[in-house]
Amino acid sequence: MTGHAERAARFAADEPRAHWHDQALWFVRLKRDRMAAAVPEWEALRERAAAVKAHARARLADYLEQFEREATRRGLRVHWARDADEHNAIVHRILSERGVTRVVKSKSMLTEECHLNPYLAARGIEVVDTDLGERIVQLAGEPPSHIVLPAIHKKKEEIGELFHRTLGTAAGASDPTYLTQAARAHLREKFLAAQAGLTGVNFAIAETGGIVVCTNEGNADMGTHLPPLHVACMGVEKIVPRLADLSVFLRLLARSATGQPVTTYTTHFHAPRPGGELHVVIVDNGRSRLLAEEGFRGALACIRCGACMNTCPVFRRSGGYSYAWTIPGPIGSVLAPGRDPVAHGSLPFASSLCGSCDAVCPVKIPLHDQLLARRREVVRAGGQPLAKRLAMRVGGWVLRHRALYEVAGRLARLALRRLPRALLYGRWNAWGRQRELPAAPAESFRDAWRRTRGDGRG
Amino acid sequence: MDSREEILAALRRAAPPDPGLPSEPVRGTPYADLALQLAEAVRAVGGAFQRVPDAAALREGVAALAARLEARRVVSRVPEAGAGTAGAAEVADPHQLEGVDLAVIPGRFAVAENGAVWVAGEDLGHRAVFVIAQHLALVVPAAEIVNDLHEAYARIRFDGPGFGLFVAGPSKTADIEQALVIGAHGARSCTVFLVG
């Protein structure tokens, strides 16, 4: 079975590109650091955000009911979907009942998770992704490789070539400003022709029954203020109790995501536009199951800023596609095995457990604890490759038998000193592939202790 | 059981103990000079900042901006800033706003920490006007600057049209190799006029 390590190896094989990817994300991480350092109450904001999310999790059903009540009072129409299929069917029904065939969509990881685009396309509805990065990967026929920077894996020359082929830009042109302006003109036509706008939801407010959508490009606004129909899709976990709670999350979100003090457009929808309709589809799709998992429910606090990806030494060097899951990086590696511990069993191991993700997470999800806990689950579920399972079994056996352990230690020290390099660093030794084995000490700690009786004068 | 009931029941079954909702308000760090900090923050998010003493100076400033941008079609939602081009705002369908070169929009207040301006739906006519226009001018009274988002949300209500947003600078993207490009889908420039 192909796991993260194999897919990462393919990405890393192109060394200059892997290095460039690493640097591009590190650049975003540094911007985030500067922003966080400029807010004296940063840690208090994180504490508060985590506390609000922990409370909201405990009362999710109540808050969703309150949201529905308030939203309905304001003229929004609320729908409920147990899973991806139901979500897709609801969105399709809303669109098809109104004869909609042309839709513009702003970024929504939920609709990616539900595979809404192909579902609608198969039913004769054109969905155009309007976030520039998402449009790039859509034109290339690829999924996003990062939740905030969907086309971070692509070089400008590749985007130039793609736009030349699909949008008719000048051959060989790769200037980001030129390419962005070409996309602006192309997408403006799509915005003006769209009959409906789809968006995700960054926050839904129980107290006021409204939703908030954040973008830098203005694509959610272009997509929703022109056509008469707006459909917004949200996971159940997007609820915050009060309007005032937004101040905490919005101060954290953009600073953590891209190193900006706030997104350019932070749009609050509390009513459909005059003469229009605003539908909100609330989706479970496994979230209530995650809520029931004591060790992992904290992951529901995620506000999808992507900071854990930008800082992760493994993500930066392996690329979003190596995770083979809608949400990559540390948070994705916690979420995906919850769906299927065997299919996504390699993801919790795609981490050095350095804890950098915990340190940058604006809502203080204990990611590296959760990654470690997921490893245990994957092992229990039999999601480990045979070689690793055998090695662990033999290792456990040796460690349980003192005499065996001593002999093994002696043999290992001898082997490290005497065996030819070709044999020591053979194909069987995954550890030695990228690093040197340790120099063998002359004696073990146990031998040294016996010789000196622990008086330290050895 | 329908989906709504099933989801709510599943969430109730799975709900952990409630640690309670923190109730004391969060406080930010106050700035000594709000207008100065606002000017800095607006520029930091890619916007332009211009302080004008009164309505006459505002009119001049907006006219000069329109001239500099070679704006032919101007929508003004701020009477003191000038009337705009005849009939530009009175369209039945927001699609007819395509081709507006400059929109002059009132901001209810500005946020010093991040350069964002709160725009209320009832001030817009069509919601689309702030994003479809090629360039944007936001007009904020100098007395209406708050320190941070905590203070901002204490002022926000959703009565009336039930719509409002923060605008912080011009539309932008960095989706191609992290190179910042101004003018992604919305305004290519955003000038904040602080009046008073």
Side-chain angles (χ1 to χ4, degrees):
Chain A
M1 197 173 69
T2 315
H4 177 272
E6 290 74 21
R7 293 186 295 260
R10 282 203 290 275
F11 180 85
D14 185 346
E15 227 172 279
R17 177 183 292 265
H19 179 70
W20 166 83
H21 186 266
D22 174 22
Q23 293 299 303
L25 289 166
W26 186 247
F27 171 68
V28 184
R29 156 75 208 263
L30 291 179
K31 283 202 291 182
R32 173 254 166 232
D33 288 354
R34 280 196 291 277
M35 277 291 154
V39 178
E41 59 276 15
W42 185 257
E43 289 307 315
L45 289 174
R46 294 176 73 213
E47 295 281 350
R48 173 59 67 100
V52 170
K53 282 286 188 180
H55 164 74
R57 271 202 301 283
R59 299 267 313 278
L60 213 39
D62 297 342
Y63 282 130
L64 284 166
E65 284 179 321
Q66 187 188 3
F67 170 80
E68 183 188 41
R69 210 161 48 239
E70 293 302 318
T72 307
R73 195 170 64 73
R74 292 172 179 277
L76 281 69
R77 312 226 326 240
V78 177
H79 309 259
W80 301 77
R82 268 170 291 215
D83 52 29
D85 288 342
E86 194 173 11
H87 161 266
N88 293 346
I90 289 169
V91 175
H92 176 249
R93 198 186 64 234
I94 297 169
L95 297 174
S96 63
E97 279 177 2
R98 289 154 187 81
V100 171
T101 55
R102 295 183 307 275
V103 175
V104 285
K105 197 180 90 182
S106 69
K107 205 186 280 164
S108 151
M109 294 321 294
L110 174 64
T111 59
E112 288 288 333
E113 172 188 323
C114 295
H115 303 291
L116 178 66
N117 286 14
Y119 182 93
L120 293 178
R123 287 155 185 81
I125 297 176
E126 179 200 49
V127 185
V128 174
D129 283 325
T130 56
D131 172 82
L132 175 59
E134 287 216 305
R135 186 61 180 149
I136 290 167
V137 293
Q138 186 178 43
L139 287 171
E142 298 169 3
S145 78
H146 185 295
I147 62 172
V148 174
L149 319 161
I152 188 70
H153 59 292
K154 281 204 180 305
K155 297 205 162 194
K156 59 180 192 281
E157 290 77 16
E158 294 166 316
I159 297 167
E161 161 60 26
L162 175 71
F163 278 14
H164 174 60
R165 221 161 9 87
T166 52
L167 306 183
T169 54
S174 66
D175 174 59
T177 302
Y178 169 77
L179 295 176
T180 301
Q181 291 313 308
R184 175 185 172 104
H186 155 71
L187 285 167
R188 212 159 246 250
E189 281 172 30
K190 299 290 183 187
F191 283 126
L192 289 166
Q195 299 154 301
L198 297 187
T199 69
V201 170
N202 288 94
F203 305 98
I205 311 136
E207 178 187 36
T208 59
I211 57 168
V212 174
V213 181
C214 306
T215 75
N216 280 319
E217 299 182 3
N219 55 317
D221 291 288
M222 281 296 281
T224 55
H225 307 325
L226 290 171
L229 177 61
H230 173 188
V231 182
C233 305
M234 60 175 266
V236 292
E237 81 283 12
K238 293 292 175 187
I239 285 277
V240 297
R242 303 162 301 198
L243 186 65
D245 295 321
L246 288 177
S247 67
V248 174
F249 291 101
L250 289 173
R251 292 190 78 195
L252 292 164
L253 176 60
R255 287 183 172 98
S256 299
T258 53
Q260 295 168 262
V262 69
T263 42
T264 300
Y265 302 96
T266 307
T267 308
H268 301 54
F269 297 88
H270 280 74
R273 74 159 227 232
E277 293 176 56
L278 171 46
H279 296 256
V280 179
V281 187
I282 300 174
V283 185
D284 182 337
N285 203 33
R287 286 162 178 75
S288 57
R289 236 182 12 254
L290 181 60
L291 185 64
E293 288 189 272
E294 196 182 339
F296 302 102
R297 58 169 65 110
L300 284 167
C302 176
I303 55 173
R304 304 287 190 261
C305 71
C308 62
M309 293 158 211
N310 304 338
T311 200
C312 177
V314 175
F315 181 91
R316 283 189 275 117
R317 289 167 179 83
S318 61
Y321 293 152
S322 65
Y323 293 80
W325 178 248
T326 317
I327 312 271
I331 181 67
S333 301
V334 168
L335 295 174
R339 304 290 174 103
D340 185 339
V342 175
H344 305 294
S346 66
L347 297 191
F349 297 88
S351 167
S352 63
L353 298 182
C354 68
S356 184
C357 44
D358 297 34
V360 297
C361 177
V363 291
K364 299 193 81 159
I365 301 171
L367 284 161
H368 89 288
D369 288 344
Q370 294 186 349
L371 287 168
L372 187 61
R374 279 287 189 228
R375 289 185 185 185
R376 266 181 230 122
E377 281 195 351
V378 168
V379 170
R380 263 183 230 123
Q384 282 277 282
L386 182 67
K388 215 165 178 178
R389 282 209 304 273
L390 278 177
M392 285 299 148
R393 183 161 305 171
V394 171
W397 186 59
V398 170
L399 287 172
R400 271 198 308 278
H401 299 88
R402 175 179 165 160
L404 211 56
Y405 176 74
E406 286 200 52
V407 172
R410 250 176 252 287
L411 283 174
R413 284 191 297 281
L414 198 68
L416 276 174
R417 273 199 302 272
R418 299 284 169 80
L419 286 183
R421 209 178 152 80
L423 210 60
L424 273 178
Y425 291 85
R427 272 172 42 87
W428 58 274
N429 181 6
W431 179 266
R433 236 168 262 161
Q434 278 107 0
R435 41 173 115 64
E436 286 297 302
L437 294 166
E443 57 183 354
S444 70
F445 175 77
R446 202 190 295 265
D447 291 338
W449 185 271
R450 269 193 207 116
R451 190 161 51 72
T452 64
R453 299 184 179 277
D455 64 5
R457 278 176 293 156
Chain B
M1 205 154 56
D2 70 3
S3 299
R4 178 183 183 280
E5 299 309 315
E6 209 172 289
I7 293 166
L8 291 171
L11 292 173
R12 288 209 161 90
R13 268 198 310 277
D18 182 0
L21 180 59
S23 57
E24 72 284 10
V26 184
R27 289 190 204 293
T29 310
Y31 295 101
D33 186 334
L34 285 175
L36 196 71
Q37 167 61 29
L38 177 66
E40 221 170 90
V42 167
R43 292 192 187 106
V45 294
F49 181 88
Q50 201 175 328
R51 185 156 190 179
V52 289
D54 52 28
L58 171 66
R59 256 193 314 278
E60 267 172 47
V62 169
L65 176 67
R68 205 160 55 244
L69 296 169
E70 297 176 25
R72 287 187 307 276
R73 206 173 150 201
V74 179
V75 171
S76 173
R77 305 287 308 172
V78 185
E80 312 84 74
T85 323
E90 292 78 38
V91 296
D93 179 330
H95 291 83
Q96 293 167 284
L97 293 169
E98 168 68 355
V100 167
D101 296 303
L102 172 66
V104 187
I105 305 285
R108 291 290 176 96
F109 61 86
V111 186
E113 75 157 313
N114 56 23
V117 171
W118 179 254
V119 174
E122 46 269 55
D123 297 337
L124 286 176
H126 291 291
R127 287 180 184 182
V129 66
F130 70 89
V131 71
I132 198 169
Q134 295 293 322
H135 298 272
L136 185 60
L138 297 166
V139 181
V140 184
E144 307 295 329
I145 309 175
V146 300
N147 211 52
D148 52 33
L149 285 178
H150 309 302
E151 290 183 17
Y153 276 101
R155 296 184 50 157
I156 293 172
R157 297 283 176 277
F158 288 102
D159 314 320
F163 180 77
L165 78 156
F166 288 112
V167 180
S171 159
K172 54 183 88 69
T173 182
D175 274 347
I176 301 177
E177 284 202 7
Q178 280 298 295
L180 179 67
V181 179
I182 302 286
H185 296 300
R188 297 171 186 273
S189 77
C190 175
T191 307
V192 174
F193 287 96
L194 191 68
V195 187

